[in-house]
Amino acid sequence: MTDAALYFTGPETVEVRETAVGPPAAGELLVETRTSAISAGTELLVYRDQTPADFPADETLDALDGDLSYPLQYGYAASGVVREVGADVDPEWVGRSVFAFVPHRTRFRATPDSVVALPPGTTPAAGSLLPSVETATNIVLDAAPRLGERVVVFGAGVIGLCVTRLLAAFPLESLVVVDPIERRRALAAEFGADRTTTPAELGAADAAGSGLADEDSAVDGADLAIELSGQPSALDDAIGVVGYDARIVVGSWYGTKREPIDLGGRFHRDRIDIVSSQVSTISPELRGRWDRDRRMDAALDRLDRIPADELITHRIPFERAPEAYELLDSEPDATVQVILEYS
């Protein structure tokens, strides 16, 4: 069998190249990929050359060694089926559906402890969404929403929608989602948002000095804002909607993108906290009770609550992967989650 892998070879350039996988070693599995999900956040930064070239790809994932300079393999959302096992591996692994944090490729070798066995009945497409659900789980843990709080989520991409779905289960006073794209706002409402609005509407309300309490806008004096838009300028909007002693959790990674942020106004006087949320590690405040295994178990328990078919707007054959990245780059209004499918 001829195997292939996806390579980022330059700005806005990806190639599918032949590669050799080989049989599994004694302690390994050989997995045939069925689907892999493309991250419209991190992977588009790599695709657009908006990442620091000497920045490690991900020091917590063995499959992503090296840095983010071209050429490189990247991706971390592969769902597949175990086809062979090495001599020291329980043969009952054969035929099991698994997830792995590996780049886009037709087959891969992995140890049993580096894959996640998917729940019975999980489709390959839903399985490839597991890292998005885990990231959303991590963000909600870091945000620590409380009873009766007013929460605003900026960005209704895949992560924002997964976060919205999880937050909708909390007894909040209100949950508002902000996104410029109508299709994504409609999905946010389906996923449990009480109201949706656009960045332009927020700006208009602020300029008019009317605040955000109007029924057709959003929430003024929010307790918590979660920034997931991927746009640094959204931090200004987040500062504008929260109240005194509020929290802003930043789950976006901006890469090399920069925007001037107004920290000279009410940010200091209102004692607003801005904290980062990053899935590679657990918050120090939680490490006494939480580790990555517990967080993954929590994500697996919630995987079936995320309607994969509503999130996935495009299914593209792996051999046509360049088209998938061109689509995500040029038509953000038309896409939410794009997955690659493997024959």
Side-chain angles (χ1 to χ4, degrees), residues 52-59 61-69 71-74:
D54 58 350
F55 198 73
D58 193 321
E59 295 170 312
L61 300 179
D62 293 338
L64 296 179
D65 56 353
D67 58 33
L68 294 174
S69 56
L72 76 152
Q73 294 184 63
Y74 197 73

Side-chain angles (χ1 to χ4, degrees), residues 24-342:
E28 291 181 330
L29 314 169
L30 178 64
V31 181
E32 182 180 278
T33 310
R34 291 289 184 84
T35 64
S36 59
I38 297 176
S39 164
T42 308
E43 287 192 58
L44 277 190
L45 291 178
V46 175
Y47 180 74
R48 294 167 174 165
D49 197 20
Q50 292 178 330
T51 61
D54 58 350
F55 198 73
D58 193 321
E59 295 170 312
T60 66
L61 300 179
D62 293 338
L64 296 179
D65 56 353
D67 58 33
L68 294 174
S69 56
Y70 301 122
L72 76 152
Q73 294 184 63
Y74 197 73
Y76 46 80
S79 172
V81 176
V82 177
R83 290 304 185 200
E84 295 181 39
V85 297
D88 296 339
V89 178
D90 187 339
E92 292 206 0
W93 274 98
V94 175
R96 296 184 72 176
S97 295
V98 298
F99 169 86
F101 293 98
V102 298
H104 307 286
R105 55 191 307 148
T106 53
R107 295 193 304 170
F108 58 90
R109 292 157 46 193
T111 58
D113 62 358
S114 68
V115 302
V116 178
L118 293 171
T122 303
T123 65
S128 69
L129 299 182
L130 181 56
S132 295
V133 180
E134 185 189 26
T135 298
T137 300
N138 192 74
I139 289 166
V140 172
L141 285 170
D142 287 340
R146 301 183 180 101
L147 174 71
E149 287 198 318
R150 293 165 291 179
V151 180
V152 182
V153 176
F154 288 86
V158 175
I159 303 301
L161 289 168
C162 289
V163 166
T164 299
R165 189 68 159 189
L166 298 185
L167 288 174
F170 283 78
L172 305 173
E173 179 180 317
S174 61
L175 174 58
V176 178
V177 176
V178 182
D179 196 278
I181 298 173
E182 182 178 358
R183 179 177 194 166
R184 298 185 180 195
R185 294 197 304 275
L187 278 173
E190 290 181 28
F191 278 40
D194 298 312
R195 280 178 278 168
T196 66
T197 188
T198 69
E201 288 173 344
L202 290 184
D206 189 51
S210 60
L212 302 171
D214 297 339
E215 196 62 29
D216 62 347
S217 183
V219 178
D220 191 22
D223 303 286
L224 169 66
I226 302 176
E227 205 301 279
L228 300 169
S229 72
Q231 303 301 320
S233 59
L235 280 174
D236 266 344
D237 293 334
I239 291 169
V241 303
V242 297
Y244 181 82
D245 195 30
R247 316 181 307 282
I248 298 173
V249 176
V250 182
S252 294
W253 183 41
Y254 304 123
T256 58
K257 290 184 287 186
R258 298 289 185 270
E259 291 286 347
I261 307 299
D262 182 11
L263 301 179
R266 54 183 295 268
F267 167 70
H268 280 289
R269 291 187 176 180
D270 280 0
R271 304 179 76 81
I272 297 168
D273 289 335
I274 300 178
V275 299
S276 66
S277 178
Q278 217 292 319
V279 72
S280 294
T281 57
I282 304 288
S283 168
E285 295 180 357
L286 298 176
R287 288 178 194 167
R289 301 180 308 282
W290 285 81
D291 57 19
R292 297 183 70 183
D293 288 340
R294 181 180 179 186
R295 186 183 65 190
M296 178 58 77
D297 288 343
L300 280 169
D301 287 344
R302 287 153 182 81
L303 184 59
D304 63 356
R305 303 181 195 179
I306 305 298
D309 288 341
E310 294 184 37
L311 277 180
I312 297 169
T313 53
H314 296 79
R315 300 168 184 258
I316 296 177
F318 172 66
E319 58 269 21
R320 290 166 44 200
E323 296 176 27
Y325 289 89
E326 291 170 9
L327 177 68
L328 281 165
D329 187 42
S330 62
E331 298 186 45
D333 290 13
T335 59
V336 182
Q337 177 66 70
V338 176
I339 65 169
L340 301 176
E341 294 188 317
Y342 300 72

